[in-house]
Amino acid sequence: MLPLAPDAALRHAGFFLALALLSALCVRLAIAWRILDVPNHRSAHARPIPKGGGLGVVVATLVGLLIQYRFATLARLDDPYFLAVIVGAAAIAAVSLADDILSFRQHWKLLAQVAAAIAPLPWGLAIDTLSLPWIGPVPLGPLAWPLTVLWVVFLTNAMNFIDGLDGMCAGIALVAALFLAALALAEGGAFVYVAALSLAAGCAGFLPFNVPRAQIFLGDVGSQFIGYLFAILGIAAARFDQARVSLYIVPLLLAVPIFDVAFTLIRRALAGERLAEAHRGHLYQVLARTGVPPLAVSALSVGMTAVLGLVAFRFVALSPPAKLAVVAGVVAALALYAAWVAWRARRAGLTSWSGVSPARR
């Protein structure tokens, strides 16, 4: 466990508060900037609302990382890996902000995400081994780079896809980042602790402007940055930190959005729907369309993430068979959640999960 004296704890709390205030200031500027999100057939809002509020999350997190890089001695990676995290995160933020302003076509967005995912690879920030129960570490060899890119692009989009209700994406990210920071502190993972704390501070500064009635949305610049950074932190935590925080911790903490996106992709593929076509068929969207207030849906998702955070603390100390049992239990619980949403959809008379009548907030 990392030593944290009372005076150090106060400094860290002040660091968190300063970054949260910096994030809030940037969000206020983004509101004045007025990059508008005009509602369409899949939107959950009825009036144009500014987007790009995620710029506050980006600025606060990157400032925290740069301070960490410049002044930290314990809470850091080797310089090449540290720079890989900063450069990759800044790249995805810049591309996503340009998308918020210019509205790129989907294939250009995907190419940009792949490029940002590739950017840290030359510095060695890749998943080159995978630990499996009873087998142990398995070298991935030539599959390392493709699997790393797939993981980063998937999680980048997963957090983007669940940014559809007030407080949803930023709320999940805040709770997950706080748990990741606490877990890294307990396990001696100094870099992940400070980086996750910076991300949590950025989300904390944004959230008051996004609930209870959104003054501004995260936009792609926020949601994609959050997903990208979580993906990179998961890799960094597993490979380069002083403590080997498991690669599986981030997927566990973000199991709610990961399951939602995976379930939705599989359901739409089996239904013969075009996967690139806009829709309102995610589990959280369907649940809101059944009559559950949007803020309640967001609160439910954030609450489930908090429960998974508590599970993660126990997870790291378990034997491989027990870890496998935990993963199976989490998947089973989320499958029950999906079944409950399907039951509510039938009761509400929803004939299509894709949705044509958007909920209004």
Side-chain angles (χ1 to χ4, degrees):
M1 181 173 180
L2 291 172
L4 197 62
D7 61 331
L10 286 176
R11 288 198 304 272
H12 293 191
F15 179 71
F16 178 92
L17 180 60
L19 290 179
L21 291 174
L22 175 62
S23 173
L25 175 61
C26 292
V27 174
R28 288 296 305 170
L29 293 174
I31 292 174
W33 194 4
R34 292 187 66 79
I35 305 172
L36 294 180
D37 188 323
V38 179
N40 54 39
H41 69 281
R42 65 182 296 271
S43 300
H45 58 291
R47 58 188 174 85
I49 294 178
K51 60 181 177 178
L55 190 62
V57 179
V58 172
V59 171
T61 305
L62 289 181
V63 166
L65 286 172
L66 287 169
I67 290 174
Q68 187 179 355
Y69 176 74
R70 177 65 179 83
F71 299 106
T73 54
L74 175 64
R76 63 182 298 112
L77 302 173
D78 292 337
D79 281 0
Y81 306 133
F82 213 136
L83 287 172
V85 174
I86 294 173
V87 170
I92 196 67
V95 170
S96 300
L97 180 61
D99 180 36
D100 280 333
I101 297 171
L102 302 174
S103 297
F104 298 151
R105 294 193 175 188
Q106 194 62 42
H107 63 280
W108 291 117
K109 295 180 186 181
L110 182 59
L111 284 174
Q113 291 167 2
V114 170
I118 291 173
L121 296 180
W123 278 301
L125 196 60
I127 308 169
D128 57 8
T129 60
L130 192 63
S131 296
L132 300 175
W134 297 293
I135 298 176
V138 177
L140 295 178
L143 293 177
W145 282 29
L147 288 178
T148 300
V149 170
L150 182 63
W151 158 246
V152 173
V153 170
F154 175 80
L155 196 57
T156 298
N157 282 288
M159 297 306 290
N160 181 234
F161 291 157
I162 59 102
D163 182 30
L165 295 177
D166 292 351
M168 171 78 80
C169 181
I172 289 174
L174 172 61
V175 171
L178 286 174
F179 272 105
L180 182 59
L183 184 60
L185 181 66
E187 295 295 314
F191 166 75
V192 176
Y193 164 67
V194 179
L197 194 68
S198 300
L199 178 59
C203 293
F206 166 79
L207 265 175
F209 300 93
N210 194 234
V211 293
R213 186 178 178 86
Q215 301 175 51
I216 192 168
F217 297 152
L218 272 173
D220 285 354
V221 65
S223 59
Q224 292 192 28
F225 174 84
I226 288 170
Y228 181 89
L229 192 61
F230 267 120
I232 295 297
L233 281 181
I235 300 169
R239 289 199 60 226
F240 301 122
D241 208 359
Q242 294 179 3
R244 291 181 62 84
V245 181
S246 172
L247 178 66
Y248 299 105
I249 290 301
V250 168
L252 182 60
L253 289 172
L254 297 179
V256 173
I258 288 173
F259 179 87
D260 191 320
V261 172
F263 176 88
T264 302
L265 286 173
I266 293 171
R267 181 196 61 77
R268 297 190 72 213
L270 292 176
E273 299 178 17
R274 294 177 58 189
L275 297 183
E277 191 174 54
H279 65 97
R280 285 185 51 80
H282 285 284
L283 287 169
Y284 75 89
Q285 292 172 321
V286 174
L287 186 57
R289 287 164 50 210
T290 66
V292 178
L295 276 179
V297 177
S298 295
L300 175 61
S301 298
V302 172
M304 289 192 291
T305 301
V307 172
L308 290 168
L310 296 174
V311 172
F313 269 94
R314 179 61 179 158
F315 182 85
V316 294
L318 295 176
S319 64
K323 286 182 178 179
L324 201 60
V326 168
V327 171
V330 169
V331 173
L334 290 171
L336 287 175
Y337 165 66
W340 175 64
V341 173
W343 175 75
R344 285 193 58 91
R346 287 194 298 271
R347 286 195 61 185
L350 298 182
T351 57
S352 170
W353 276 47
S354 293
V356 292
S357 300
R360 298 296 182 183
R361 63 180 173 191

